[in-house]
Structures are given as C-alpha cells and as structure tokens.
Amino acid sequence: HTRGLEASLSAFSFLFSEMIQYSQKRVAGVADLEKRLSNFGYRVGMRELELTLWREKNAKRETRVLGILVFINSTLWKSLFGKVADSLQKSNDHDDEYMITDNDPIILKYISTPKELSSFNAGAFLAGIVEAVLDGCHFAARVTAHSTASDQFPSCMTLLIKFDKSVMQR
Amino acid sequence: MQGTPQPRATAASNQPGARAKAAGEDIWKNRTDKINAELFTLTYGSLVAQLVKDYEDYAEVNTQLDKMGYNIGTRLIEDFIAKSGLTKCGSFVETADVISKIGFKMYLGITPTITNISQDQKEFSLILEDNPLAEFVELPEDAVRDGLWYSNVLCGVLRGALEMVLLQVECNFVADVLRGDEVTEIRVRLVKVLDEEVPAADE
C-alpha cells in the first residue's frame, strides 16, 4: 500500500530527465519527443485512474464533460501532486477546448531545457497522463502542454484539452 | 602522500552505523523535497514497459536499465555529497553502511539491510525489504523466464555513483521477489579503488 508514501523529488527528477534523454536519442524532432513523453505519461495515467477511482468514489466514472474536468483538476491533481491545479478554464474561441493550468508543476522543478529545444515542453508527460484519464473515461481528446510562463510563475504550464467531435455531440 | 581517508561524519562516533542512520533520517525528514511515491513508481514502470517495447529482449532491457542508472548515478553522487556533507568512507564496509542508511534513505525512503559481507570485506549484499520501484508490479511469465531484473536501474545508479568517488564496483541483482525469490538482493563487489585523484592540497 503506497497511499501517502513519498519518494524524493530528486529521485523522480533524475529518472525523468534520463527518460527524456533516452527518448531524445530516438526521435527526429521536438514533436516526436513530446509524443514519446506523452506515451510515457499515458501509461502512468491509465493506472493512476484505476487507483484513484478505486479509492475515491466507489469506482463511479464521470459521464459529463465538466464532471471529468473537475475530477482531473482536483481529485487527480491532488492524488498525484498533493494539490489542486491552479485553474480550469473553458476556451473563449472553441467550444470543444478547455485548459488546465498549473502555476508551478512540481515534476518540472529540476528539468531545464536547452535553448535549441526551447519549444519543447516536458509537460507533455503530464498531457499524456491527462489524455489517458480522459480516454479511460471514454472522453476521446487530444491533450497538449504549453508553456504559459510569466514573471511571477516562470514554469507555469497549461494543458490544452481538445475534445473529439464524438464527445461534443452527445 | 595521501593519508588514511577519514570520514568526517563518523570520525567522532564509535558507532558509525547508528550515526549514519540518524543522518539519513534527518536528511529524509527535513531536507528532502518529496513527491507521491505512486507517481514515481508508475513512472518507472512506464519506462520499463517502453524499454521492453523498444528492445523486445529482456536481457537488453537489463542492460539499458543499467546504463540509464549509471548516467543517473554519475549525476546523483554530486547531489548526494552536497546534501549529506559526507567526505570519504574509511572502508568499503563503511561505504555499504552509508549507501544503505543515507543513500537509499535519501532517495527512496528505505534502508536496505546489509548482509553476506565477504571475508575480504570487498563484497556485500543489500536486501531490499520494501522496494518502491516494484510496488504494484507483477511480471509476465516470459519476463521471469528470460531473466528480466525489473529494478536493474538501481545497479547502474550504484555503479555510476561509486565510480565517481573512485570505487569501481560490480553490481547486480541475485534475487528478486518479483521473480518468486524469498528476498530482493543486490550484490555489490569492489573491483578496485581507482587511483586518479588529484591531491586536495600540497602536503
């Protein structure tokens, strides 16, 4: 039983950074690299969803878009990072797009990106986690990570969630 | 000439073991940023799964995990020394003690037991009662048959970290509860003390 148990953030960061470097040797460009990281996250997300549902709410799955988003924003974030995500917003321009923002993602704390890879966002790993959770609850979506850094929050990251047509139609 | 290396943290104590244990616990409790162990475990699992997919060969996965561990170890040792303030260990047996009570504690929150120290004191075993990497893991039959050592990254980490402090070791798993063994055991053997150190000061 690992609930509430902790590992050191440095151990995680060493591992994570090695995973990025491993992936980097096998990809053609930034998009590929992010895809690989997202795959890493996807496998984590699938399992974390099972664990979280099993613990939190009698294994009931969300059926409404807003319900699942709130679940990710609060319950999932809490069980992964010990805190609720900083914001959940609906896009003004597109009905099928939502955004979850973390001002200071803990897993990126020790990850720095060299200049030549400045468009790369290691948050792709988180995007993969969220995509798996959505998939696991039958909300097909594409999730991408974007840096939304500001002076106040230099590592701020936003996940853009774009739902599949099939989800929006029901 | 180099004198006999003296470990700073334990020189004043007659019970280096107890001292190391307290130091390890203090660092873990008060000076370590932490993360949910589950996220860590699942992330490692995701890596192993990817390697199995990329190499389709469990022996090669062992090799890759060891390599990645080595890369981690060479960087981790700096973090370890900075946080622990330790300098040199007086003997390889003391190194074992520091690895188990400070090293493992600092990074994984566990303290493996040291057993089977060889007569020449150049080999020892670490018994991991609680292996956080392997939580939730059940190996498929073919992985057991073909010899996957799931947590092999740890061997690489030890090898890399120790090499950076001039201890060349061989390190491998000899038993794993994931494979149906009674215990999870890592064997560490000192091959030689490397001799390329620049003297700290003119003596």
Side-chain angles (χ1 to χ4, degrees), chain A residues 1-2 5-12 17-18 22 26 36 40 43 48 55 79-80 109-110 125, chain B residues 28 32-38 42-43 46 50-51 54-55 68 71 75-76 83 106-107 135-136:
Chain A
H1 237 296
T2 49
L5 284 186
E6 293 173 309
S8 82
L9 177 60
S10 0
F12 178 89
S17 122
E18 194 55 38
Y22 169 84
R26 279 161 185 78
R36 275 223 159 215
F40 275 129
R43 281 190 291 259
E48 187 60 33
R55 282 176 185 147
S79 73
L80 284 176
K109 188 166 174 182
Y110 294 121
F125 178 74
Chain B
W28 172 254
T32 305
D33 285 336
K34 306 213 192 48
I35 194 163
N36 176 351
E38 244 161 57
L42 294 178
T43 302
S46 186
Q50 184 65 50
L51 292 176
D54 289 348
Y55 290 96
M68 295 175 86
N71 294 341
R75 281 176 288 129
L76 174 142
K83 281 191 186 140
M106 237 167 101
Y107 294 101
E135 192 75 21
F136 310 122

Side-chain angles (χ1 to χ4, degrees), chain A residues 32-139:
Chain A
D32 268 5
L33 179 56
E34 290 187 343
K35 182 69 198 149
R36 275 223 159 215
L37 274 192
S38 167
N39 287 344
F40 275 129
Y42 194 93
R43 281 190 291 259
V44 173
M46 269 184 340
R47 288 163 180 82
E48 187 60 33
L49 172 66
E50 290 302 325
L51 273 168
T52 311
L53 283 177
W54 179 69
R55 282 176 185 147
E56 298 289 332
K57 40 193 308 187
N58 318 318
K60 208 180 99 213
R61 293 186 191 212
E62 290 294 341
T63 52
R64 292 175 315 114
V65 166
L66 199 59
I68 187 67
L69 289 171
V70 169
F71 170 82
I72 290 168
N73 191 64
S74 54
T75 313
L76 180 77
W77 231 258
K78 250 191 198 157
S79 73
L80 284 176
F81 311 117
K83 62 158 198 178
V84 171
D86 294 290
S87 82
L88 166 62
Q89 286 172 300
K90 188 176 196 309
S91 159
N92 290 328
D93 307 327
H94 304 279
D95 266 355
D96 58 352
E97 288 184 0
Y98 292 82
M99 288 155 307
I100 289 178
T101 300
D102 191 320
N103 290 338
D104 192 15
I106 189 167
I107 64 161
L108 305 185
K109 188 166 174 182
Y110 294 121
I111 305 294
S112 56
T113 319
K115 270 210 183 73
E116 64 271 22
L117 276 176
S118 57
S119 65
F120 163 70
N121 194 323
F125 178 74
L126 274 178
I129 294 181
V130 169
E131 199 169 301
V133 168
L134 289 167
D135 255 5
C137 296
H138 301 285
F139 292 92

Side-chain angles (χ1 to χ4, degrees), chain B residues 74-95:
Chain B
T74 56
R75 281 176 288 129
L76 174 142
I77 190 70
E78 285 185 39
D79 182 66
F80 174 80
I81 289 171
K83 281 191 186 140
S84 67
L86 284 170
T87 49
K88 267 194 149 176
C89 290
S91 68
F92 195 54
V93 172
E94 196 191 318
T95 305

Side-chain angles (χ1 to χ4, degrees), chain B residues 11-183:
Chain B
S13 167
N14 293 325
Q15 293 171 294
R19 186 74 176 257
K21 193 162 195 296
E25 271 161 18
D26 174 59
I27 296 172
W28 172 254
K29 232 172 128 185
N30 303 317
R31 280 182 281 157
T32 305
D33 285 336
K34 306 213 192 48
I35 194 163
N36 176 351
E38 244 161 57
L39 178 61
F40 179 64
T41 304
L42 294 178
T43 302
Y44 183 69
S46 186
L47 169 65
V48 178
Q50 184 65 50
L51 292 176
V52 170
K53 222 171 141 183
D54 289 348
Y55 290 96
E56 297 175 354
D57 175 70
Y58 291 113
E60 190 54 34
V61 173
N62 289 339
T63 308
Q64 285 301 320
L65 285 172
D66 182 81
K67 260 191 202 165
M68 295 175 86
Y70 179 86
N71 294 341
I72 293 174
T74 56
R75 281 176 288 129
L76 174 142
I77 190 70
E78 285 185 39
D79 182 66
F80 174 80
I81 289 171
K83 281 191 186 140
S84 67
L86 284 170
T87 49
K88 267 194 149 176
C89 290
S91 68
F92 195 54
V93 172
E94 196 191 318
T95 305
D97 217 46
V98 166
I99 290 171
S100 120
K101 300 197 174 78
I102 306 182
F104 271 86
K105 185 76 191 173
M106 237 167 101
Y107 294 101
L108 297 177
I110 58 167
T111 308
T113 310
I114 299 163
T115 58
N116 301 330
I117 300 176
S118 65
Q119 280 228 303
D120 61 3
Q121 306 213 327
K122 288 185 171 171
E123 278 184 59
F124 62 88
S125 284
L126 294 162
I127 307 287
L128 279 67
E129 282 89 4
D130 254 325
N131 177 5
L133 291 181
E135 192 75 21
F136 310 122
V137 176
E138 221 174 284
L139 292 185
E141 266 173 43
D142 61 332
V144 174
R145 194 184 53 233
D146 295 346
L148 173 68
W149 294 108
Y150 183 84
S151 307
N152 216 34
V153 73
L154 293 178
C155 292
V157 171
L158 287 173
R159 196 164 59 82
L162 289 173
E163 195 174 299
M164 291 299 117
V165 291
L166 303 174
L167 299 173
Q168 190 187 345
V169 299
E170 275 174 12
C171 181
N172 55 287
F173 274 88
V174 291
D176 190 345
V177 288
L178 290 179
R179 301 167 49 83
D181 298 320
E182 291 280 311
V183 292

Side-chain angles (χ1 to χ4, degrees), chain A residues 65 95-98 134-135 138-143 161-170:
Chain A
V65 166
D95 266 355
D96 58 352
E97 288 184 0
Y98 292 82
L134 289 167
D135 255 5
H138 301 285
F139 292 92
R142 251 199 60 162
V143 185
I161 300 167
K162 188 174 179 63
F163 285 105
D164 197 73
K165 268 193 198 112
S166 62
V167 174
M168 300 316 291
Q169 276 163 1
R170 64 183 190 227

